[in-house]
Structures are given as structure tokens and as C-alpha cells.
Amino acid sequence: VENMFVIDGVNVTDVELGGGDDSKTTNVVYEFIEEVEVKNGGYEAEYAGALGGVVNIITKSGGNEYHGSVIANYAAEAFVGDRKVTYWGVGAIDADTQYDLGFGIGGYIVKDKLWFFAAATPTFRSREWTVTNEYTNMDQSSEQTDNTFNFSGKLTFALAKNHVINLSVFGDPRLTEGGRLSTLMDPNRDYKTKENGGTYNFSLKYEGSFGSDLYASLMIGKYMNEVTIKPLSGDTNTPAVFVNSSANGLGYPVGYSMGGFGYMSDPDTTGRWTIKADITKFWGNHTIKAGFNFYKATLDSNDLYTGGYYTQLYGSWWRQRYRTTSGDAFTDVMALYIQDSISIGRLHLNLGIRAESQSCHGTDPNLNFEPHYNFFNWGFGDQIAPRLGFSYDIFGDFTTKVFGSYARYFEMIPLDMNSRTFGNEYDKMWYFRYPYNPAYTKDSGMHFTTRQYGLHPSLVQDGIKPPYQEEFILGFERQLNEDLSLSIRGVYKRLGRIVEDGSFDGGSEYFLFNPGDWVPDVTIPEDYLRAPEEYRTFPKANRTYKAVEVVFKKRFSNNWQALVSYTYGRAKGNINGLAFEEYGQVDPNITAAFDFPELLYNADGYLPTDIKHALKVDGSYVFDFGLNVGLSMRYRSGRPYTDMGENMWYGYMAYLDQRGTSGRLPSMFTADIHLSYTFKLGGNKTLSLFTDIFNVTNNTKMTRMYTRYDNVNFYGFSDDPTTIMPEWTKPASPSHPDYGKATRYNLPIRATFGVKFEF
């Protein structure tokens, strides 16, 4: 969620959730890629803020000779080992077929003047499932098709010597129809989806040299995406029904769903303009680069539920939740930066600084604020990000160096907050007593109470400051010989500040703040005073990552290459970041993590990303007769988990143990093999046959577990005076019937096959 993806200079990361929705981040087929650069730390001032890493991709271009390729890939369930099936029926696949048919061609239109590259690779996938319904004990079947149409094109025009213009277009439109029935879904539920989506992007870039010491570039580009999610049946009037308690009086198991389709988008439209300009000057032992960046991100959301609401069945009551999110919003980000790369004898310095401004605007129409209300308006002085690095050649022979860096990265706030907190979102619940009657609605007069989230406009902390993360790296690298190198580095990342939302009354009134830096002037409800005093304030948000990484590299020579790395790392804190993994929520900066102060009890501990040991081995060998063998192995120690209790308003988000101490999932080892054989057909023509075999050891251990532990008690503030408040005690045994069951297993051994013709 916290990474940034850039293709041909265009930021193609999901605008709304910051990368939390894969369907809204552009995917590029390997055949279109010329170069991939992954920056996971210590990157220069020219790169915009990403609290994680930056993946920079450059697509292929044409040249003065014609080159091309035709490729076909095929995978089927016949080439997959025995799948383990979760209690929800995930993994119970009868058929899974996928094939790709693609081509790419590049060359010249006018030799030495105008070149082109064009490629397309459509992907077609179909799946079928059969599961046994947990309530009816009947077998039920379902199917789904997913089609993606990847494309890429580029024109390169030489204006004059050392002056070039590139026009690049690329995208991945897709269509999904159907869906998967689970063991906990009524076979008559309207579950099949029709989803249209995909991204379309373009960039126009000028690059030019003026003499031997001055280089300039200018780029303008746009990312565009529109996703429509509707029921395949066309029925948008029937609400969905979800069973949240085994004591529902109707005999349905927990997690069962019935009725209509539920959540739909009609449509969600996102976009981002990117403008970049920079100048590089070579001056003695200095390389100075200065530049300007501008990003304009837009979101037009139209999210609702079929029938206007969905129903949740609890023990002694049931409720209907009416929720819609609509309206267009935008955020403008500008940045100025300068960096200097200096060589002074054996010492090399990278000195840079980046200043950013960020202006975030709500939607039009708007529920509680003026249309396009400007809720954050941080200037250049509020977001100053130093990027400092050094390396020192210890012996002066380029074989041994010590290096390090310090950097500060500011977050570009995703537009989910613009749309929900400062938008036209309506979220209200009507509560009813049993017996359950689906004919009752909010207008029937049969409810006994109501509750509305965001009943009052959200307060914003005076002088609220932008979120950022700091990073420190110190390392050592030794060139063992011409082909081998060994490096050791230590990494320390610290969340300096975050923006989140909180509430003292169960969500009726929210406020946006920097946790730990501000106590809002709001009335605390009388019932809430039952909580211990320390749970009437919020702690400071914190997250740290400490790691030591050892890397052995063998460059390609004598027919083989290898990369081996081992990382020991620890991730601790009271917030994951922009996603709340234990709660299954991706709502950047407005997750439930800091919504109620008492629910931060036990929250400071080992995070789900705490992987103590990680080993990676990658290598390949090319035989002289045309066979290429590749091996990729991965080992990681088990991820921590926490047993969770239920809050009346928000569901399972109360930590019953200190975070990350309830247990750990199994450690994981996988190994993948690539085999290819190339036939030379004369000239520059070749034919390659290849296969990729994944998880050759057939490791099918559990990778995710159901951690909802207590299905009887409520934890935290509610209207119920018997609610358990901090400090609470974890029950001796789990009461949730599904606690401890696997929600996901590692995929078994499987293979894909392909053929490629190049000319």
C-alpha cells in the first residue's frame, strides 16, 4: 500500500487507496519492459514521497532495425497439484485455465529520425468451483471469467542531434464476469459480478543535451482508470444479508450471506496528471540536478449497496446499514528539489533536499462541508525532505566501500479521505428486535434506535502536520573479485508522524489529528467515563522497522549468475500504516486503528509485517547448447498474529493479547524453477520453448488464519453498560466457531508452458 509505481515517468499507483487495490494500479506485461529499477531505500530528492519503495519501469522502444516477438503461454488445472481447501471453500477449484497470446514489434518509420514500438498481450482466464454449502449441505457450483487486454506503444522522434521526444501509451483494460460461491453463501444469493475496469496511460517526454555539460528533460503524462462493479443479473434493488452471530435465532452459521449482490460501484473514476521538469549540470566534480514536479489526482466515486443498504444479523437484534459514497474530489501536489552528487577524492556525497506542497480537497456535492472544501493545505515549508547519502572508498582501489544515507519521505494522501471524510458519504444504521422481518426498512417505523457514523462534521486539528517517515541506512560492501561482491547493511525506519481519525463517542463525531500531538476539545459521553483515564486520550502513533541485510552477488559470467540475500528484521508499533491488516481494512489515514482510544489497549507490539528471518536465492545457468535453467528460492519465518475480540460498532478490532504475541503462522519455504530451450533458426530468428514450475517442493502450509477469538463479549465503548472495558482479560478458550481455521493456504506445485518466436 505504501509503495509507488512509475512507468515511463507516469505515477500509475492507485489514486484512491494508495496501491491498496491491484485493479487500479497499472500492470505491465514482462514483454513490454526494457528496464526495471527498484528503490527500497536511500533514493534521491527527485523521487516523490513513498513511505515504502519506488518501482520505476521503462518500456521498450524501437530502433534502426526491425525486431519483434510472438509469444503464447498456457496454464491449466491439470498442471496444478492438490489444493488445500479452506473452511470457506477457497481453493476448491475444479478448473482453472489461462492463456496469453501476444506480440511485440519495434523498428523505424524514418531511419535515424522516427522509431516505434507496439505490443499487445491479451490474457484469458476461466475458473470453475464446486463447494459444499455449510447450511444446506448441498453441493453448489460457480464459474468466473477474467479477460485482460494489455497494450503498449511508443514513438521516438529525434528532433535534432541529442534532442529526442518520446510518446508512450500503455494500459490494461479488463472485464470480469461471474463469481465464486463460498461454503457460507446461500446458493440463491445474487453473487455474480460484472466488472469493467482497467487503466489507460500516456506520457510525452522531451530529453535534450546542450553542449557537453547541460542536460534537460520535460515530461507530461496522465494515468486514468474507471471501474464499474455491478451484479451480472442487473438486479440493483435487492439488499444483501450477512450473519454476524451464531445466536441469530434462524440457525444460520456465522459468516453466512444471503440476498442481493451488495457493494457496487457505478462507476469509480480516478486519474492523475504528472508533470516533471529538470535540468542537470555537470560542473567539475559536481553533478547538480534541479527540478519541479506536479501531480493532480482526481476521484469521482459512486459507491452504494444494492437496495441502498445491507442487513446484519446479531444475537438479540439486527440492523440495516444504509451507506453511499459519491462526488468528485482532487488533490494537488507540487515539489521543488535540488541534489548534488560530489566526488572528493575517495569520498562521494549525494546531497539533496526536496520541498513539497499538498492541497487536499473534498467532494462536490458535499455532506458537511463547502463543495471542494480544502481540508489540508500544506506549503513548501511544511514538507521539507532532506535526502543525504555518502560512500567512501576505503582503500582507493574501488574494491571496498562504506556507505550510508538519511532520508525523510512525506506521504501523498490518497483520495479515500477526500471522498469519505470530506465528501458526500452517508452512513446510518437502523436497529430492530427479533424476529427478523426482511420487509422492515428504515421507513417502516419498527426500529428501536438509530446510529449514524459521521453525524457531525469531522474536526481537524489546528495546525495539523503532514505525515512522514524517516530512514537511516549504514552499510559495507566488498568486491571479492571481478565477479563477486558481498555487502552488509543496516536499516532503521521510523514513522515520524501520521494523520488518522479518532472518536470519543463510538464514531458519531470524528476528528482528524496527529495522534499523540493533540487532545480535541469535544464532549466525552458520560458512559465513556467508565473507561480508565488513560483510555480517554490517544497515544502517539509509532512504527519502527530495524533490519540487517547481507547480500552476495555474482554477476553473469562463465554462463551463470546468482544473488543471495539474508535479512533479519523486526517491525513493531501500534499502527501498520495505511492499511489495518488485522481488521482487513484499506482506508489510508482513516483506518479504524485510532478510532477509539480504548481499542489501542494491547495494540503496541509486533506488527503483521514482522518477519524475523528472510532468505532469498536467485540464480541461472545458460548451457552452450541453448538450455537455460533458473532457480528462485524463498524462506521466511512465520508472521505473528493476535487473537481478536469484537467491538459493538466496528466488529473484530480489540486485541485480546499484546499485539503479535498470540502465536505465529508456519514458516514458509518455496522454490521455483525456470527451464527454457532456444533454437536458432538462422539470422536473428530464434524459437524458444519454456516452462515455469512454481513451488516444486509442494509446500501448502497455511498463510492466513482466522483470528476472531471471542464471539460472546463486546470490547470497548458501546450503549451496553455491561461492555468490557480496559483492562480486559482474554477468555480462557475461544468462543468463535471458526477461530484458528485457515483462510488461505499456499498454492501447491503448478506449472505454465510457453513458446516464443523472436526475429
Side-chain angles (χ1 to χ4, degrees):
V1 177
E2 298 181 4
N3 297 323
M4 179 181 294
F5 300 89
V6 179
I7 303 176
D8 287 347
V10 181
N11 184 350
V12 298
T13 314
D14 171 25
V15 166
E16 185 176 7
L17 299 177
D21 188 341
D22 290 340
S23 69
K24 296 180 182 179
T25 296
T26 300
N27 297 295
V28 180
V29 174
Y30 175 78
E31 295 299 314
F32 302 169
I33 296 175
E34 181 70 33
E35 180 182 346
V36 178
E37 182 181 28
V38 179
K39 293 183 174 289
N40 59 3
Y43 45 90
E44 298 84 354
E46 65 180 285
Y47 292 97
L51 300 186
V54 175
V55 179
N56 187 31
I57 296 173
I58 299 173
T59 61
K60 289 183 177 180
S61 304
N64 275 337
E65 294 182 357
Y66 291 104
H67 294 281
S69 62
V70 178
I71 190 169
N73 296 309
Y74 178 74
E77 191 64 21
F79 311 126
V80 179
D82 292 336
R83 300 175 186 261
K84 281 190 176 180
V85 181
T86 73
Y87 71 103
W88 277 340
V90 176
I93 294 181
D94 299 321
D96 187 355
T97 304
Q98 178 175 322
Y99 56 93
D100 313 323
L101 300 172
F103 75 91
I105 185 169
Y108 63 89
I109 298 174
V110 179
K111 208 165 190 177
D112 297 322
K113 194 70 175 179
L114 181 61
W115 304 273
F116 77 93
F117 175 79
T121 303
T123 298
F124 306 95
R125 185 179 187 184
S126 62
R127 285 171 288 178
E128 298 176 6
W129 300 270
T130 299
V131 296
T132 302
N133 187 283
E134 192 168 307
Y135 179 65
T136 65
N137 205 34
M138 297 174 57
D139 288 342
Q140 52 195 46
S141 300
S142 54
E143 67 285 326
Q144 180 174 302
T145 59
D146 301 276
N147 300 326
T148 304
F149 305 92
N150 302 283
F151 68 90
S152 176
K154 184 182 287 186
L155 287 175
T156 303
F157 177 58
L159 289 172
K161 185 179 180 180
N162 299 325
H163 295 270
V164 175
I165 289 179
N166 282 292
L167 173 62
S168 179
V169 294
F170 50 94
D172 56 355
R174 57 192 74 120
L175 172 65
T176 295
E177 292 187 342
R180 182 185 66 84
L181 277 166
S182 82
T183 60
L184 293 170
M185 185 183 295
D186 188 281
N188 296 315
R189 183 183 172 187
D190 188 6
Y191 68 94
K192 292 185 178 180
T193 184
K194 181 175 183 179
E195 179 176 340
N196 290 283
T199 67
Y200 299 85
N201 311 269
F202 85 88
S203 70
L204 181 64
K205 185 176 184 180
Y206 160 80
E207 298 176 284
S209 298
F210 300 85
S212 61
D213 60 355
L214 187 64
Y215 169 85
S217 70
L218 174 65
M219 193 279 294
I220 181 171
K222 189 173 185 182
Y223 152 96
M224 298 168 284
N225 182 56
E226 182 173 287
V227 176
T228 299
I229 303 173
K230 287 185 175 182
L232 184 62
S233 67
D235 178 10
T236 61
N237 297 316
T238 304
V241 180
F242 303 98
V243 179
N244 285 41
S245 171
S246 56
N248 57 77
L250 301 174
Y252 297 121
V254 177
Y256 204 69
S257 64
M258 302 169 286
F261 182 75
Y263 172 84
M264 53 184 280
S265 291
D266 190 22
D268 267 7
T269 306
T270 56
R272 183 190 290 106
W273 283 98
T274 300
I275 299 175
K276 296 181 178 180
D278 60 63
I279 296 175
T280 302
K281 172 70 174 178
F282 303 95
W283 178 44
N285 60 348
H286 296 261
T287 301
I288 302 173
K289 187 173 187 178
F292 166 80
N293 299 161
F294 171 75
Y295 303 93
K296 186 179 188 68
T298 59
L299 165 66
D300 185 359
S301 58
N302 295 276
D303 300 332
L304 66 161
Y305 288 84
T306 53
Y309 65 93
Y310 62 89
T311 297
Q312 295 171 295
L313 304 181
Y314 286 88
S316 59
W317 44 266
W318 54 280
R319 71 184 182 190
Q320 293 175 344
R321 185 176 184 180
Y322 292 75
R323 179 179 166 187
T324 60
T325 307
S326 62
D328 64 285
F330 67 94
T331 289
D332 294 335
V333 175
M334 288 188 286
L336 300 170
Y337 68 87
I338 186 169
Q339 58 194 40
D340 189 3
S341 181
I342 315 166
S343 294
I344 309 171
R346 299 180 185 180
L347 179 65
H348 185 81
L349 300 175
N350 285 308
L351 307 178
I353 191 164
R354 182 182 182 91
E356 298 176 344
S357 69
Q358 188 167 185
S359 180
C360 304
H361 299 258
T363 67
D364 183 8
N366 204 299
L367 191 65
N368 292 313
F369 299 89
E370 292 294 321
H372 287 156
Y373 174 67
N374 187 189
F375 56 93
F376 293 153
N377 191 20
W378 295 310
F380 289 109
D382 298 316
Q383 298 186 127
I384 297 177
R387 310 283 175 86
L388 310 174
F390 80 93
S391 66
Y392 182 73
D393 183 359
I394 296 176
F395 301 116
D397 59 0
F398 304 105
T399 63
T400 310
K401 70 176 181 179
V402 60
F403 61 91
S405 65
Y406 164 76
R408 177 173 290 194
Y409 308 112
F410 283 92
E411 178 197 351
M412 287 196 290
I413 305 290
L415 269 66
D416 184 49
M417 178 189 291
N418 306 49
S419 178
R420 297 196 58 205
T421 303
F422 298 97
N424 196 39
E425 182 172 81
Y426 176 81
D427 193 352
K428 189 171 182 178
M429 291 167 287
W430 272 258
Y431 289 77
F432 303 83
R433 301 289 186 193
Y434 279 101
Y436 166 63
N437 188 337
Y440 291 168
T441 67
K442 64 183 179 67
D443 300 318
S444 64
M446 301 303 294
H447 60 278
F448 66 88
T449 190
T450 63
R451 183 174 187 82
Q452 183 170 343
Y453 289 133
L455 178 63
H456 307 285
S458 295
L459 300 174
V460 180
Q461 171 185 338
D462 290 337
I464 192 169
K465 297 178 181 179
Y468 72 89
Q469 178 169 272
E470 290 183 306
E471 174 192 79
F472 302 84
I473 295 175
L474 183 63
F476 170 86
E477 184 173 332
R478 171 71 177 176
Q479 193 74 28
L480 302 176
N481 60 34
E482 188 180 65
D483 298 330
L484 303 177
S485 67
L486 177 69
S487 66
I488 302 173
R489 72 168 189 163
V491 178
Y492 174 68
K493 296 184 180 183
R494 182 184 72 88
L495 189 65
R497 185 169 55 233
I498 199 167
V499 167
E500 263 291 349
D501 65 340
S503 174
F504 279 123
D505 60 2
S508 292
E509 183 176 16
Y510 289 99
F511 41 83
L512 277 171
F513 68 132
N514 302 130
D517 293 345
W518 181 65
V519 178
D521 184 18
V522 298
T523 301
I524 299 178
E526 182 177 347
D527 285 347
Y528 202 93
L529 298 179
R530 292 181 287 109
E533 185 174 354
E534 64 266 33
Y535 298 107
R536 297 178 220 150
T537 60
F538 288 88
K540 184 176 178 62
N542 73 87
R543 182 185 68 181
T544 61
Y545 175 70
K546 302 175 184 178
V548 176
E549 181 184 60
V550 181
V551 179
F552 171 84
K553 292 181 182 179
K554 198 281 184 183
R555 73 175 184 87
F556 185 78
S557 63
N558 300 319
N559 293 44
W560 71 285
Q561 62 183 342
L563 176 64
V564 180
S565 70
Y566 165 75
T567 302
Y568 175 84
R570 304 310 305 260
K572 298 184 73 175
N574 60 13
I575 187 167
N576 288 340
L578 304 185
F580 188 175
E581 183 165 331
E582 293 96 335
Y583 191 49
Q585 180 189 24
V586 182
D587 273 315
N589 303 107
I590 52 172
T591 68
F594 273 77
D595 276 12
F596 307 155
E598 78 275 16
L599 291 176
L600 285 155
Y601 177 63
N602 282 339
D604 203 326
Y606 292 109
L607 299 172
T609 51
D610 180 69
I611 298 173
K612 294 173 64 175
H613 306 284
L615 177 67
K616 300 178 182 179
V617 179
D618 295 290
S620 65
Y621 190 93
V622 180
F623 292 89
D624 294 334
F625 57 87
L627 177 65
N628 182 11
V629 179
L631 174 65
S632 179
M633 295 187 295
R634 297 288 186 269
Y635 168 83
R636 61 169 175 80
S637 53
R639 293 157 49 99
Y641 65 84
T642 314
D643 294 340
M644 305 297 287
E646 187 172 10
N647 173 260
M648 177 175 284
W649 309 125
Y650 273 21
Y652 289 86
M653 58 173 292
Y655 302 95
L656 301 184
D657 292 318
Q658 199 69 36
R659 192 175 200 166
T661 63
S662 299
R664 286 187 175 262
L665 297 175
S667 60
M668 186 62 57
F669 173 81
T670 58
D672 305 329
I673 294 177
H674 171 83
L675 298 172
S676 66
Y677 191 90
T678 301
F679 301 89
K680 295 182 179 180
L681 304 179
N684 61 355
K685 300 181 184 67
T686 61
L687 179 69
S688 299
L689 305 177
F690 56 88
T691 180
D692 291 295
I693 306 173
F694 303 98
N695 191 14
V696 294
T697 62
N698 200 30
N699 182 346
T700 56
K701 291 181 180 179
M702 175 172 61
T703 59
R704 290 289 190 276
M705 190 186 86
Y706 201 79
T707 60
R708 298 179 178 183
Y709 185 92
D710 188 356
N711 193 43
V712 176
N713 301 296
F714 287 118
Y715 296 80
F717 173 77
S718 76
D719 292 338
D720 182 357
T722 65
T723 292
I724 300 173
M725 298 293 285
E727 297 177 354
W728 49 65
T729 300
K730 175 182 173 181
S733 58
S735 55
H736 199 294
D738 297 322
Y739 171 78
K741 295 180 179 179
T743 60
R744 190 181 304 171
Y745 290 105
N746 196 43
L747 292 175
I749 185 172
R750 59 202 185 280
T752 63
F753 300 90
V755 58
K756 183 178 182 180
F757 172 68
E758 294 181 283
F759 60 90

